[in-house]
């Protein structure tokens, strides 16, 4: 999004807005958007904003958008229509005017269009600019009717966030996301990320470690490192040298209280030897890896511009499993890519059988405007894609159920992070990212304890405390 009107510097050191203010954020899409939404709440807290789950009670509404899936923008416009009607009802009741903002990747890609199509929007802010929300909000309050958009580089965003120190970040619970890398240089032909998040950029090591220590000080036991291509991480260390994700993981594992490390999302071409070795050597690095391949046909992979072939992916999985035999592999598949034949779809099914996933996301191809794939010949009919998706998901479900059922009888260390639906029940995470339900464990929140698994189903496990 090119800036529609870039806000000048505004003094935000003034006293917080008087009276209780409520912030409602609706988050779409990926885990990085979840992280971004949490940080938006952080930067607005000094202005007196507390989060609410009730949009009707909100003074400030932010739609933090995702541009990956089909018709993403149209869904946002539909939601904005509802927000406009809600604001009009509040004004009719004599309540204060509700401010509406669109953030995230749809804002980045279609900022000017949003301003033209939906007059109810006060602020449009891309994913690299949400640190400017206090200034933008203050300006809209001073000049009601002026509508503002902004766009900045990611290093400016993180510099601004880091200015508040690690304690600035509010944390709920015992697990947390931590963005370490943004952007993508891969330019897969179906993907909008390089256009909405920009080029690959890695946060400096000292900043990442400082934020991780702050999380651990607040009771976080497990951190998930986030990036569009997280295993391409190449942040600068205090010594001026480049650190890999593997070296960063080893340093994070030394932080007291931080017992578990995960990362997502990865690209096969960035799965380095030292990262594979870290999976074998770093106890805190969980035996779970999300490594998308997207298709099983070499021709389709070339059209996708994935820059790796089927056999390279299979060989890579073999090397990783040799280093960490108990590793649970998660993947990602797209069916119905332009010109995909029945035979090439069968190649995808064959690859899934060969790899054997513990979990896998799967989608029908959806054309994203501006991407090379959107104008490719041979767009596959929707009915064909639906049939292929069902066949793929049936196979993936079979594999996921088999993996979960195979945990029956095993003892797994579980991090309990929330209460269950039943009295006394707690729910935690296994090393393989499965939800584990255990009765009589609600006093163990925040602790990692051994659990004997009694039953595995498609989406979760049930167990008992060892010795109970």
């Amino acid at each position: 999004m090119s800036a529609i009107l870039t806000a000048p510097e505004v003094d935000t050191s003034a006293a917080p807005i008087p009276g209780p203010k409520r912030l409602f954020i609706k988050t779409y899409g990926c885990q990085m958007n979840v992280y971004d939404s949490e940080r938006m709440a952080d930067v607005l807290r000094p202005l007196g904003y507390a989060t609410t789950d009730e949009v009707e009670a909100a003074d400030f509404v932010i739609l933090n958008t995702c541009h990956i899936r089909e018709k993403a923008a149209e869904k946002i416009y539909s939601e904005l229509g509802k927000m406009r009607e809600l604001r009009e009802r509040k004004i009719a009741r004599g309540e204060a005017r509700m401010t509406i903002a669109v953030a995230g990747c749809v804002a980045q890609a279609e900022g000017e269009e949003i301003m033209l199509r939906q007059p109810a929007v006060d602020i449009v802010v891309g994913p690299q600019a949400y640190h400017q929300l206090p200034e933008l909000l203050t300006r809209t309050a001073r000049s009601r009717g002026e509508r503002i958009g902004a766009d900045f580089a990611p290093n400016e965003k993180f510099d601004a966030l880091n200015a508040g120190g690690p304690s600035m970040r509010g944390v709920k619970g015992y697990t947390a996301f931590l963005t370490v890398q943004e952007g993508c240089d891969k330019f897969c032909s179906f993907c909008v990320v390089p256009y909405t998040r920009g080029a690959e950029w890695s946060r400096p090591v000292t900043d990442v470690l400082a934020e991780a220590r702050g999380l651990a000080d607040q009771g976080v036991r497990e951190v998930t490192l986030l990036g569009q291509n997280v295993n391409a991480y190449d942040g600068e260390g205090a010594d001026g040298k480049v650190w890999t994700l593997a070296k960063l993981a080893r340093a994070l594992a030394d932080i007291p209280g931080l017992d578990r490390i995960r990362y997502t999302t990865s690209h096969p071409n960035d799965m380095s030897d030292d990262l594979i070795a870290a999976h074998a050597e770093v106890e805190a690095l969980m035996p779970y890896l999300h490594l998308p391949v997207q298709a099983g046909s070499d021709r389709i992979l070339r059209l996708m511009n994935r820059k790796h072939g089927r056999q390279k992916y299979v060989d890579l999985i073999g090397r990783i499993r040799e280093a960490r035999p108990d590793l649970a592999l998660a993947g990602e598949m797209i069916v119905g890519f332009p010109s995909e034949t029945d035979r090439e779809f069968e190649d995808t099914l064959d690859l899934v059988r060969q790899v054997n996933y513990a979990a896998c996301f799967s989608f029908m191809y959806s054309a994203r405007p501006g991407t090379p794939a959107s104008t490719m010949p041979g767009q596959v009919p929707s009915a064909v894609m639906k049939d292929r998706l069902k066949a793929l998901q049936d196979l993936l479900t079979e594999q996921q159920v088999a993996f979960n059922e195979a945990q029956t009888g095993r003892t797994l260390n579980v991090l309990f992070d929330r209460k269950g639906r039943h009295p006394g029940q707690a729910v935690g995470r296994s090393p393989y990212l499965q939800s584990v339900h255990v009765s009589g464990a609600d006093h163990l929140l925040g602790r990692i304890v051994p659990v004997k698994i009694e039953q595995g189903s498609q989406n979760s496990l049930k167990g008992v405390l060892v010795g109970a």
Side-chain angles (χ1 to χ4, degrees):
M1 179 188 71
S2 58
I4 300 160
L5 178 62
T6 302
E9 291 189 9
V10 177
D11 181 11
T12 59
S13 61
I17 298 172
K21 292 287 183 179
R22 297 296 177 184
L23 170 68
F24 176 85
I25 305 178
K26 185 168 184 176
T27 305
Y28 301 80
C30 67
Q31 294 156 315
M32 189 169 286
N33 269 15
V34 174
Y35 174 88
D36 285 351
S37 291
E38 292 173 352
R39 303 313 302 272
M40 289 183 211
D42 291 339
V43 300
L44 291 168
R45 193 175 299 112
L47 290 185
Y49 281 89
T51 56
T52 177
D53 294 328
E54 302 295 331
V55 65
E56 292 81 4
D59 301 284
F60 187 18
V61 172
I62 301 174
L63 303 183
N64 188 16
T65 62
C66 175
H67 207 268
I68 298 298
R69 301 297 163 222
E70 185 178 11
K71 299 180 181 178
E74 293 306 316
K75 293 176 183 177
I76 298 305
Y77 288 119
S78 175
E79 191 71 20
L80 287 172
K82 298 175 184 177
M83 295 300 103
R84 182 196 63 216
E85 293 173 359
L86 172 60
R87 179 161 70 185
E88 290 173 353
R89 291 197 300 270
K90 289 166 71 77
I91 292 174
R93 294 195 298 264
E95 300 177 22
R97 186 180 188 276
M98 184 176 74
T99 303
I100 300 173
V102 179
C105 292
V106 172
Q108 181 76 22
E110 304 190 23
E112 295 184 19
E113 181 70 13
I114 291 170
M115 289 292 199
L116 290 171
R117 287 184 55 177
Q118 183 47 268
V121 175
D122 300 295
I123 298 170
V124 175
V125 56
Q128 310 303 353
Y130 62 74
H131 62 294
Q132 293 290 329
L133 276 170
E135 291 94 330
L136 301 177
L137 184 60
T138 301
R139 185 166 183 177
T140 59
R142 291 179 178 177
S143 305
R144 181 58 65 193
E146 184 175 24
R147 304 163 72 211
I148 298 173
D151 191 3
F152 298 87
N155 59 315
E156 294 178 0
K157 174 178 74 175
F158 285 108
D159 286 347
L161 294 173
N162 292 336
S167 62
M168 177 183 177
R169 181 173 176 188
V171 175
K172 297 178 182 179
Y174 306 100
T175 65
F177 294 127
L178 174 54
T179 293
V180 301
Q181 181 269 342
E182 288 202 357
C184 182
D185 295 341
K186 300 298 186 290
F187 286 92
C188 296
S189 61
F190 55 82
C191 186
V192 297
V193 167
Y195 312 103
T196 58
R197 289 276 182 171
E200 291 179 358
W201 180 85
S202 297
R203 294 179 66 187
V205 172
T206 53
D207 292 349
V208 174
L209 295 180
E211 186 170 343
R213 292 188 190 99
L215 293 172
D217 289 343
Q218 295 180 73
V220 169
R221 305 291 303 278
E222 175 181 302
V223 65
T224 300
L225 309 180
L226 299 181
Q228 269 81 33
N229 268 342
V230 68
N231 57 342
Y233 178 83
D234 60 355
E236 182 178 337
D239 56 0
K241 296 180 180 180
V242 171
W243 283 38
T244 63
L245 185 66
K247 188 172 182 179
L248 178 65
R250 292 177 187 275
L252 289 167
D254 289 334
I255 295 176
L258 198 60
D259 298 300
R260 290 182 163 190
I261 301 165
R262 305 182 189 273
Y263 61 91
T264 192
T265 291
S266 305
H267 194 286
N269 289 351
D270 293 316
M271 200 69 201
S272 58
D273 291 342
D274 67 335
L275 187 53
I276 294 173
H279 273 282
E281 299 165 1
V282 180
E283 184 178 357
L285 193 56
M286 292 293 94
Y288 178 91
L289 175 63
H290 181 220
L291 192 64
V293 61
Q294 306 297 3
S297 159
D298 281 331
R299 187 185 75 89
I300 294 298
L301 288 171
R302 287 193 296 272
L303 288 176
M304 289 179 167
N305 196 35
R306 289 291 291 171
K307 299 184 176 69
H308 64 78
R310 173 194 177 105
Q311 193 58 49
K312 177 178 179 179
Y313 182 81
V314 170
D315 291 345
L316 178 61
I317 298 305
R319 291 173 54 214
I320 298 168
R321 283 177 165 158
E322 183 178 356
R324 187 69 192 255
D326 68 331
L327 181 129
L329 185 69
E332 198 166 298
M333 296 287 182
I334 295 173
V335 303
F337 190 82
S339 77
E340 181 188 63
T341 66
D342 289 342
R343 176 63 259 174
E344 287 166 334
F345 172 64
E346 288 295 329
D347 290 340
T348 294
L349 294 179
D350 180 68
L351 178 63
V352 169
R353 296 186 188 99
Q354 186 174 357
V355 171
N356 194 16
Y357 290 97
C360 190
F361 301 100
S362 54
F363 312 94
M364 293 189 296
Y365 168 75
S366 60
R368 307 309 302 137
T371 59
S374 65
T375 58
M376 286 182 180
Q379 300 287 322
V380 178
S382 176
V384 174
M385 287 197 288
K386 288 180 180 178
D387 288 344
R388 290 178 183 174
L389 183 63
K390 183 181 185 306
L392 174 60
Q393 290 183 339
D394 286 348
L395 175 58
L396 292 171
T397 297
E398 179 184 319
Q399 291 186 347
Q400 183 172 341
V401 170
F403 179 81
N404 288 351
E405 289 180 343
Q407 310 311 311
T408 301
R410 293 188 63 190
T411 296
L412 302 178
N413 288 327
V414 174
L415 168 59
F416 288 109
D417 60 351
R418 62 196 185 277
K419 290 185 177 181
R421 290 180 295 177
H422 306 294
Q425 186 185 60
V427 183
R429 302 184 188 211
S430 78
Y432 310 115
L433 204 58
Q434 301 142 308
S435 292
V436 184
H437 300 258
V438 180
S439 297
D442 60 343
H443 62 293
L444 296 172
L445 295 183
R447 292 179 57 184
I448 300 173
V449 297
V451 171
K452 185 174 182 179
I453 305 303
E454 293 187 320
Q455 181 182 348
S457 59
Q458 179 179 346
N459 297 312
S460 63
L461 308 177
K462 292 177 66 175
V464 295
L465 298 174
V466 171

